[in-house]
Amino acid sequence: MLYIFCGLPGIGKSTLSSALARELQATYLRVDVVEQAKRVALTWDDGPAGYIVCYAIASQNLRLGLDVIADTVNPIHETRAADIPGFVPPTGEKVRNRHYDVWDREHIVIDTAHQTAAESLMTLRELLDRERSKMELIERTDVS
């Protein structure tokens, strides 16, 4: 299973996705970490390279049968976080003015601004359980 966490910087993606990764013991890919490592190695370019690295790692882990949790802003542009050494988070203006393409497929949305991280994780668990139940029902119906 591939879980993709996306949205603007500073909304709680990393807190929620890392908690779920810990709970599921899933492979955790955070594009901010890849991009910051590229900066430290002086190989940073302003493009999709960090995402491409994460896609390759995710693909390999999925082929091994492992769940993967991807923590990304996800409009193929530099993602940001405050807990990576040496990383400078964006200003509020940059976050507000950032172009962000809306997802065009079914997805789960959690408003992390109005609940604690623990409440957000509990909400996520409930929503994922509902989605799994729907998928199991569809699989059983398709087999019948």
Side-chain angles (χ1 to χ4, degrees):
M1 177 69 71
L2 174 62
Y3 302 84
I4 301 173
F5 284 74
C6 64
L8 294 173
I11 63 167
K13 291 182 307 297
S14 297
T15 300
L16 194 53
S17 61
S18 63
L20 184 64
R22 220 177 353 268
E23 189 172 290
L24 298 178
Q25 296 183 351
T27 301
Y28 178 66
L29 299 175
R30 185 171 174 191
V31 75
D32 288 346
V33 172
V34 172
E35 290 180 341
Q36 183 60 18
K38 287 178 62 62
R39 285 183 192 94
V40 170
L42 303 176
T43 60
W44 170 251
D45 58 356
D46 193 16
Y51 282 84
I52 292 168
V53 169
C54 286
Y55 295 158
I57 295 170
S59 179
Q60 182 65 36
N61 279 276
L62 289 167
R63 277 195 293 275
L64 292 172
L66 302 173
D67 288 339
V68 174
I69 296 180
D71 176 0
T72 59
V73 168
N74 236 349
I76 309 300
H77 185 69
E78 178 184 357
T79 56
R80 297 170 167 87
D83 63 340
I84 300 170
F87 189 75
V88 179
T91 64
E93 182 181 343
K94 279 191 173 188
V95 171
R96 283 189 301 277
N97 294 330
R98 171 184 228 143
H99 173 74
Y100 186 83
D101 292 332
V102 178
W103 279 81
D104 62 353
R105 60 175 68 173
E106 193 174 326
H107 59 280
I108 294 173
V109 176
I110 297 175
D111 184 352
T112 58
H114 298 100
Q115 54 188 7
T116 66
E119 291 167 333
S120 293
L121 182 59
M122 186 170 49
T123 300
L124 177 60
R125 278 192 215 113
E126 291 168 3
L127 293 170
L128 287 173
D129 285 344
R130 281 189 216 153
E131 287 300 314
R132 284 188 196 109
S133 294
K134 278 195 244 177
M135 289 173 59
E136 289 171 3
L137 180 62
I138 290 168
E139 287 173 5
R140 277 186 260 142
T141 305
D142 287 345
V143 172
S144 305

